[in-house]
């Protein structure tokens, strides 16, 4: 007779709350929340981490993460995170921001936090639309993409071009890490987690602002099924928003 | 400690540091800039945080963040910059975190000019941001009083977990006066239980201004209103001068209050029964004191460096029991004591026409009480 041994191979991270979700079916915010929670657990920083939530669908991220949280005004999370981090540099501070929050109303705050080299981690979720208000055109909406405020499709002659944030911030000396990842399949999810981990490590090593842009699906506002939304992401978003490393400072390799 | 010559803006900065201010975030704007400049060398010197923000929007949200971390934190700006901070102040007020803002007011609207004004009264006391709230608003009339009210601002902000705005008009920010600075207070090391310091051996703390259900948000609003009612009951501060026998009561704050006092001294020398109520807190406003005065005085004169903003609060307090007149200058113009004196004399003679005497029409002079100096609740 042999001794039976059970090994836990998968469980809810301590940083992830055991609760119901407000996100739509097929929304990938939940996946990203979990990746962050796993990384915080693995780095053993839960008890000294402070998150800053955006305005948008993920305003309620504080319900899902078991860390201290502040909810910023729309776009102001990097400024608020600056205030939190500057008075307690021993803490780990991250913002979680959508594309409307970071790339439209909050461009001033993210650009200057990056320029100053604020020692914070930024998780930037790009789903090419304003989710919470019901699918309007975002700064990241693709050319030709139909939304409730670009009903004929985004016309770049009138509405301009979508913004590539990871590429935009990478050249700033204050930025230690700027990469784009996606979560439309398991391989990309694993790579996204590695990038989130690196972005937190950059902060722990005091290297400056670290940003991970993550391409994310919004089936509800894209009017697609969850599976079709992931396929749409891969087919339409990846060509304009290539997954890649735009800045990796020495020492983070 | 002996008196030293202090510039208003720098005095406020040093007073904040001595009151234990741990972090300052600001943006340059005249006529407040010396405050930011002073902080830029003095805060690092004492091992505290100074950061020049990218905008007033950035600055107030950095203040919001540091306040959430349970730190004594402040910003300062001037009128157009304070307009940009209104969003942040609404969030701070909604979140029950303490923060101090100094507004060195200049002429508006728009870019206006850099001269002293009091035209941000409505924005400060009637809440310029969205939603139901009032900041606590303090208004010094001298550099010495600015020093004292700066320390008080931090105490009140923490006592009520609320926004405190100290409004200096540009002249108090820019003028130099002898003033006495209090001793340096130690920085408080203990953090409030609600502060975002990391969930070590305690459940997580969340600071948010979102309450998605109407019942929850109404309950929170009732809590905020209760807090304001308590503030109105406990924190009214004002100074009064020669009110015992006053037919005419002047109401003026800050620099206008100080100039009004000069005009009143002139009027008293001429035998006119005139006194001054100078609000030190603009919110809460000395409504009850004015209501009592309305039973005694025959008329009120409000003097402001604006088109007449506090005027409305005086009228609300007087409730029609006496006429309330107004004298104001705008656009950075500061009234001279003589201008106010002429208005005061005209009103006093209208109330008590001078009796004709044998050699002409000079007013009957009465013996006058001594200058009593400031009195009143503070």
């Amino acid at each position: 007779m042999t001794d039976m041994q059970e090994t836990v191979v998968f469980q809810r991270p301590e940083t992830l709350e055991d609760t119901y979700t407000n996100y739509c079916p097929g929304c990938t915010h939940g996946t990203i929340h979990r990746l962050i929670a796993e990384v915080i657990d693995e780095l053993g920083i839960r008890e000294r981490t402070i998150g800053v939530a955006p305005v948008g669908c993920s305003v309620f991220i504080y319900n899902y993460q078991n860390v201290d949280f502040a909810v910023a005004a729309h776009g102001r999370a990097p400024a608020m995170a600056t205030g939190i981090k500057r008075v307690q540099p021993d803490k780990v501070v991250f913002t979680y921001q959508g594309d409307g929050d970071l790339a439209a109303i909050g461009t001033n705050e993210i650009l200057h936090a990056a320029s100053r080299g604020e020692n914070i981690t930024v998780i930037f979720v790009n789903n090419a639309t304003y989710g919470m208000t019901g699918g309007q055109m975002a700064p990241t909406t693709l050319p030709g993409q139909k939304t409730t405020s670009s009903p004929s499709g985004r016309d770049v002659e009138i509405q301009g071009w979508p913004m590539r944030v990871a590429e935009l911030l990478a050249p700033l000396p204050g930025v230690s890490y700027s990469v784009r990842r996606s979560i439309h399949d398991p391989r990309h999810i694993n790579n996204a987690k590695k990038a989130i981990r690196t972005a937190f490590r950059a902060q722990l090593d005091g290297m400056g602002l670290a940003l991970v842009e993550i391409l994310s699906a919004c089936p509800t506002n894209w009017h697609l099924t969850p599976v079709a939304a992931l396929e749409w992401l891969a087919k339409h978003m990846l060509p304009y928003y290539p997954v890649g490393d735009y800045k990796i400072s020495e020492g983070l390799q | 400690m002996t008196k030293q010559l202090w510039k208003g803006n720098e005095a406020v900065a040093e007073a904040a540091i001595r009151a234990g201010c741990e972090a300052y975030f600001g943006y340059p704007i005249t006529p407040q800039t010396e405050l930011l400049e002073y902080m830029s060398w003095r805060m690092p010197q004492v091992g505290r945080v100074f950061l020049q923000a990218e905008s007033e929007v950035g600055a107030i949200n950095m203040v919001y963040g540091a306040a959430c971390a349970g730190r004594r934190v402040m910003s300062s700006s001037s009128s157009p910059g304070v307009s940009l901070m209104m969003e942040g102040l609404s969030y701070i007020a909604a979140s029950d975190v303490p923060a101090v803002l100094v507004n060195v007011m200049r002429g508006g609207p728009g870019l206006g000019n850099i001269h002293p004004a009091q035209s941000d009264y409505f924005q400060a006391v009637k809440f310029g941001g969205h939603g139901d709230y009032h900041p606590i608003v303090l208004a010094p009339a001298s550099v010495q009083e600015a020093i004292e009210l700066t320390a008080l601002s931090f105490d009140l902000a923490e006592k009520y977990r609320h926004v405190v705005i100290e409004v200096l008009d540009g002249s108090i920010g820019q003028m130099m006066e002898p003033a006495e600075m209090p001793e340096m207070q130690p920085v408080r090391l203990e953090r409030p239980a609600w502060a975002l310091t990391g969930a070590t051996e305690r459940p997580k703390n969340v600071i948010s201004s979102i309450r998605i259900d109407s019942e929850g948000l109404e309950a929170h609003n009732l809590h905020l209103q209760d807090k304001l009612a308590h503030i109105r009951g406990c924190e009214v501060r004002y100074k009064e001068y020669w009110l015992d026998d006053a037919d005419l009561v002047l109401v003026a704050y800050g620099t206008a209050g100080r100039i009004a006092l000069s005009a009143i001294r002139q009027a008293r020398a001429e035998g006119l029964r005139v006194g001054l109520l100078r609000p030190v807190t603009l919110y809460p406003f000395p409504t009850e004191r004015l209501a009592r005065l309305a039973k005694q005085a025959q008329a009120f004169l409000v003097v402001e460096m604006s088109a007449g903003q506090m005027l409305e609060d005086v009228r609300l307090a007087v409730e029609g029991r006496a006429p309330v007149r107004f004298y104001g200058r705008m656009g950075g113009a500061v009234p001279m004591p003589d201008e106010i004196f002429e208005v005061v004399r005209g009103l006093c003679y209208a109330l008590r026409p001078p009796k004709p005497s044998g050699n002409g029409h000079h007013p009957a002079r009465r013996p006058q009480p001594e200058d009593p100096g400031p009195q009143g609740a503070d």
Side-chain angles (χ1 to χ4, degrees):
Chain A
M1 200 172 156
T2 55
D3 286 337
M4 290 288 287
Q5 276 199 327
E6 284 189 355
T7 307
V8 176
V9 292
F10 190 81
Q11 65 181 351
R12 184 175 52 78
E14 191 187 359
T15 300
L16 198 64
E17 297 278 13
D18 185 6
T19 184
Y20 57 87
T21 178
N22 70 293
Y23 294 117
C24 302
C27 170
T28 39
H29 269 306
T31 312
I32 302 168
H33 285 11
R34 185 185 172 96
L35 298 183
I36 295 170
E38 288 178 356
V39 166
I40 289 173
D41 273 17
E42 288 163 16
L43 293 172
I45 55 173
R46 191 193 69 81
E47 295 189 340
R48 59 184 179 113
T49 295
I50 299 157
V52 183
V55 171
C57 291
S58 51
V59 65
F60 293 116
I61 182 174
Y62 60 82
N63 283 331
Y64 311 120
Q65 307 254 302
N66 185 18
V67 297
D68 277 6
F69 247 99
V71 179
H74 199 20
R76 318 296 177 224
M80 203 174 180
T82 297
I84 294 171
K85 181 76 178 183
R86 289 275 178 152
V87 296
Q88 36 190 7
D90 56 322
K91 301 294 190 280
V92 179
V93 180
F94 76 99
T95 70
Y96 187 99
Q97 301 179 260
D99 39 22
D101 193 85
L102 183 142
I105 198 166
T107 42
N108 212 38
E109 284 72 26
I110 186 62
L111 201 59
H112 284 275
S115 180
R116 287 190 302 268
E118 291 298 337
N119 198 32
I120 60 173
T121 301
V122 177
I123 308 300
F124 169 49
V125 178
N126 177 359
N127 62 10
T129 191
Y130 282 86
M132 190 180 236
T133 46
Q136 293 76 32
M137 186 184 73
T140 47
T141 292
L142 294 170
Q145 186 183 340
K146 288 181 181 175
T147 71
T148 61
S149 60
S150 58
S152 308
R154 181 178 191 151
D155 180 347
V156 295
E157 293 297 321
I158 297 168
Q159 288 130 335
W161 293 86
M163 193 181 289
R164 294 184 177 105
V165 169
E167 292 90 326
L168 181 73
L169 295 182
L172 296 174
V175 173
S176 62
Y177 187 64
S178 185
V179 302
R180 183 178 295 111
R181 296 291 184 266
S182 177
I183 48 159
H184 64 280
D185 64 28
R187 181 173 66 87
H188 282 88
I189 290 172
N190 285 335
N191 286 338
K193 181 180 171 182
K194 281 180 199 156
I196 292 169
R197 190 186 171 89
T198 306
F200 275 96
R201 228 185 66 219
Q203 180 177 171
L204 292 171
D205 292 346
M207 298 183 72
L209 187 135
L211 173 131
V212 184
E213 175 175 343
I214 302 175
L215 304 179
S216 181
C218 183
T220 297
N221 289 306
W222 292 355
H223 307 292
L224 295 169
T225 64
V227 172
L230 295 174
E231 289 164 2
W232 189 90
L233 188 161
K235 186 176 175 191
H236 297 283
M237 288 186 77
L238 283 178
Y240 192 90
Y241 297 113
V243 163
D245 302 335
Y246 299 98
K247 172 85 156 278
I248 303 180
S249 292
E250 273 182 56
L252 276 177
Q253 308 286 347
Chain B
M1 185 170 277
T2 52
K3 286 191 174 182
Q4 290 174 298
L5 204 55
W6 279 98
K7 184 169 193 157
N9 283 335
E10 295 183 344
V12 167
E14 180 64 25
I17 288 166
R18 295 196 185 198
C21 176
E22 292 172 79
Y24 173 95
F25 303 95
Y27 186 83
I29 181 170
T30 312
Q32 144 308 144
T33 303
E34 296 86 356
L35 208 167
L36 169 113
E37 288 174 336
Y38 189 93
M39 287 296 199
S40 73
W41 63 267
R42 183 73 169 122
M43 289 293 268
Q45 187 182 61
V46 289
R48 306 188 197 167
V49 173
F50 167 87
L51 187 62
Q52 182 171 323
E54 67 274 17
S55 68
E56 288 88 350
V57 176
I60 197 67
N61 284 286
M62 291 172 191
V63 166
Y64 188 15
C68 288
R71 263 60 175 184
R72 280 204 154 183
V73 56
M74 72 174 289
S75 185
S76 61
S77 188
S78 179
S79 312
V82 174
S83 290
L84 283 173
M85 293 181 171
M86 283 299 139
E87 173 197 58
L89 290 175
S90 172
Y91 280 72
I92 292 170
S95 303
D96 280 321
V97 294
V100 172
L101 170 67
V102 175
N103 179 4
V104 186
M105 295 183 287
R106 61 187 248 182
L111 202 50
N113 62 32
I114 60 171
H115 301 300
Q118 296 181 322
S119 42
D120 302 345
Y121 178 93
F122 281 152
Q123 186 191 56
V125 309
K126 307 292 182 190
F127 49 93
H130 58 284
D132 274 318
Y133 74 96
H134 297 266
I136 295 171
V137 184
L138 307 175
S142 67
V143 172
Q144 184 67 58
E145 197 175 28
I147 291 167
E148 288 155 15
L149 293 185
T150 300
L152 178 67
S153 296
F154 287 103
D155 292 341
L156 291 178
E158 278 166 17
K159 181 176 177 185
Y160 295 104
R161 291 171 62 180
H162 198 47
V163 176
V164 178
I165 303 180
E166 187 180 353
V167 289
L168 276 58
D169 49 76
S171 38
I172 294 170
Q174 291 296 319
M175 72 163 80
M176 291 187 87
E177 285 194 295
E180 194 176 319
M181 197 59 73
E183 295 295 319
M184 181 76 85
Q185 297 301 310
V187 167
R188 183 200 52 202
L189 296 175
E190 193 185 330
R191 303 298 167 204
W194 49 261
L196 304 183
T197 53
T200 306
E201 293 171 359
R202 61 156 171 78
K204 68 180 176 186
N205 284 336
V206 174
I207 295 178
S208 168
S209 63
I210 190 169
R211 282 161 187 84
I212 204 73
D213 60 307
S214 53
E215 293 84 359
L217 185 54
E218 185 175 49
H220 182 62
N221 267 285
L222 289 169
H223 148 73
L224 295 175
Q225 291 302 315
D226 282 349
K227 178 158 80 174
L228 291 175
H230 190 67
I231 289 168
R232 285 195 299 273
C234 299
E235 304 298 347
V236 175
R237 287 168 171 81
Y238 54 85
K239 305 266 187 186
E240 48 183 68
Y241 309 80
W242 282 300
L243 286 181
D244 289 346
D245 66 339
D247 292 336
L248 176 67
V249 173
L250 269 65
V251 189
Y253 71 93
T255 292
R258 203 161 159 177
I259 299 167
L261 192 58
S262 300
I264 290 168
R265 289 204 171 96
Q266 234 175 309
R268 281 281 170 180
E270 204 163 289
L272 303 174
R273 291 185 185 179
V274 52
L276 171 69
L277 182 85
R278 178 167 69 79
V280 173
T281 51
L282 303 182
Y283 191 94
F285 195 66
T287 306
E288 279 181 31
R289 181 65 186 119
L290 279 163
R292 276 188 283 127
L293 282 169
K295 293 173 186 160
Q296 163 207 324
Q298 295 185 43
F300 290 82
L301 172 65
V302 178
V303 180
E304 294 179 69
M305 286 142 62
S306 79
Q309 300 192 11
M310 183 177 70
L311 172 65
E312 293 190 5
D313 283 333
V314 175
R315 285 192 168 139
L316 283 170
V318 170
E319 288 187 311
R321 286 187 288 259
V324 181
R325 300 281 184 259
F326 177 71
Y327 184 76
R329 298 291 303 271
M330 290 180 283
V334 180
M336 298 301 287
D338 282 347
E339 295 172 52
I340 300 171
F341 171 66
E342 289 302 324
V343 178
V344 166
R345 185 159 63 177
L347 286 170
C348 284
Y349 286 176
L351 294 170
R352 281 180 199 265
K355 288 172 188 156
S357 58
N359 60 351
H361 292 280
H362 296 299
R365 296 211 172 200
R366 287 187 305 272
Q368 290 297 315
E370 293 289 303
D371 186 337
Q375 304 155 358
D378 63 345

